[in-house]
Amino acid sequence: IQKKNNSGLSFEELYRNAYTMVLHKHGEKLYTGLREVVTDHLVQKVREDVLEALNNNFLQTLNMAWNDHQTSMVMIRDILMYMDRVYVQQNNVDNVYNLGLIIFRDQVVRHPTIRDHLRATLLDMVARERRGEVVDRGAVKNACQMLMILGIDSRTVYEEDFEKPFLDQSADFYRLESQKFLSENSASVYIKKVE
């Protein structure tokens, strides 16, 4: 599914096999196997693709990887629905979809190089737009939405990885803009502009 090679798969058969495994008390093996397979794919394929794109279409590559991962996890969640309802509930572990989010967050988005480059790219795009350049707002929006979703039930990923540096950069930008405007205009013109 993650390799987009699922045309020959029978979802009904896969669901039945997962159901049988959980029914016969092999839920832990299935859950652990899922975690390992998703982690391996994200580390060996997705993270490598994103790292290779650092200087070329980085944001588009990351957004595409994110969209593909979400699609894959929805399919996997649907196949493992019975495991979500039984094993996950009984063992108080993350559901299948959230497990996929956590692994993507930890192995891809929070990889130090990717995390730093994502922050720098987003801040650079905001700065360029403030200078009047045209930027891909959709890519910025998608990346910010991804950070929000990766927080699962909180905004912490977005806040830590982007919002704080963004607010710091914004404060610096507007401080310089106001100083420049004030130096070029009278105080009364400045007050009118502020209002």
Side-chain angles (χ1 to χ4, degrees):
I1 291 174
Q2 291 179 314
K3 294 177 181 172
K4 299 181 189 175
N5 188 18
N6 55 344
S7 59
L9 298 177
S10 162
F11 283 95
E12 182 182 344
E13 188 178 335
L14 292 171
Y15 178 87
R16 200 175 20 226
N17 289 338
Y19 171 83
T20 303
M21 283 186 75
V22 174
L23 194 65
H24 291 103
K25 306 295 183 208
H26 296 293
E28 183 177 354
K29 183 177 184 178
L30 185 59
Y31 190 84
T32 303
L34 170 68
R35 183 186 313 117
E36 290 170 1
V37 166
V38 171
T39 301
D40 287 349
H41 174 73
L42 291 176
V43 168
Q44 294 171 8
K45 171 78 173 99
V46 175
R47 184 166 72 192
E48 292 306 312
D49 289 350
V50 173
L51 286 169
E52 285 177 17
L54 284 178
N55 298 315
N56 186 24
N57 293 328
F58 168 74
L59 214 46
Q60 291 80 1
T61 302
L62 182 60
N63 282 332
M64 192 169 67
W66 168 242
N67 291 334
D68 289 348
H69 180 67
Q70 285 183 293
T71 302
S72 295
M73 289 312 301
V74 166
M75 289 182 193
I76 292 168
R77 178 197 64 200
D78 291 348
I79 291 167
L80 300 177
M81 193 180 305
Y82 185 72
M83 183 176 75
D84 257 354
R85 286 199 312 255
V86 177
Y87 176 80
V88 166
Q89 298 292 323
Q90 290 173 350
N91 293 279
N92 200 27
V93 292
D94 292 305
N95 66 46
V96 170
Y97 188 77
N98 284 357
L99 177 66
L101 294 181
I102 291 164
I103 298 169
F104 191 88
R105 178 192 68 204
D106 295 345
Q107 299 300 327
V108 179
V109 174
R110 287 223 160 143
H111 179 276
T113 305
I114 295 171
R115 182 183 196 174
D116 293 346
H117 195 74
L118 176 60
R119 180 185 303 123
T121 300
L122 292 173
L123 292 175
D124 178 60
M125 290 177 83
V126 169
R128 287 183 12 228
E129 185 174 59
R130 286 177 174 161
R131 290 192 302 266
E133 297 177 36
V134 177
V135 298
D136 185 353
R137 284 183 170 191
V140 173
K141 179 183 175 194
N142 290 341
C144 289
Q145 285 177 330
M146 174 190 69
L147 293 174
M148 291 290 290
I149 292 168
L150 289 175
I152 301 181
D153 291 326
S154 72
R155 295 171 35 106
T156 55
V157 175
Y158 173 78
E159 289 170 355
E160 292 169 6
D161 291 11
F162 177 68
E163 187 179 57
K164 183 172 177 1
F166 168 71
L167 292 176
D168 292 343
Q169 176 181 303
S170 296
D172 292 342
F173 172 79
Y174 287 111
R175 187 179 313 103
L176 291 173
E177 283 291 303
S178 64
Q179 289 170 354
K180 178 182 171 197
F181 190 82
L182 195 53
S183 69
E184 296 170 354
N185 298 285
S186 67
S188 60
V189 173
Y190 176 76
I191 295 296
K192 285 180 184 171
K193 175 113 175 151
V194 170
E195 292 174 341

